[in-house]
Amino acid sequence: MAKTKAIQDLTYEQAFQELGEIVRQLEQGELPLEQTLKLFERGQGLAARCSDLLEQAEVRFRTLAPDAAGRGDEAEPDDGGEG
């Protein structure tokens, strides 16, 4: 694996992509135990980073569009049923 960035410096996309690569490596089951543990630990950190970034995005979305967040039918425009 190339030089890795600190997890807190990764974007969601970078963390998610690296997490996918780690999962593929771990699923092959051909790594020594110590390397497997290191990858698993990094994967846990990456998963937490993705979760945190998604939470932050949700908070921002709810702040920017409070009427559209979680309101289902009420957020849809009217059919134009004026008569």
Side-chain angles (χ1 to χ4, degrees):
M1 188 180 289
K3 184 177 179 180
T4 55
K5 288 175 73 172
I7 290 174
Q8 68 271 13
D9 295 334
L10 297 174
T11 65
Y12 175 83
E13 292 79 8
Q14 291 169 328
F16 191 80
Q17 181 180 4
E18 185 178 342
L19 180 58
E21 292 170 12
I22 287 174
V23 168
R24 282 188 287 282
Q25 289 179 11
L26 292 175
E27 284 178 339
Q28 290 177 354
E30 299 174 3
L31 300 171
L33 179 60
E34 191 60 35
Q35 189 175 0
T36 298
L37 291 173
K38 285 181 182 180
L39 282 175
F40 182 81
E41 183 178 16
R42 179 135 176 113
Q44 290 290 325
L46 291 166
R49 174 70 173 158
C50 288
S51 180
D52 289 344
L53 290 171
L54 285 174
E55 260 183 52
Q56 291 173 22
E58 182 178 4
V59 168
R60 285 182 64 195
F61 176 76
R62 289 177 187 262
T63 301
L64 295 171
D67 291 339
R71 295 204 32 202
D73 295 331
E74 297 173 26
E76 294 180 13
D78 192 0
D79 288 304
E82 295 178 26

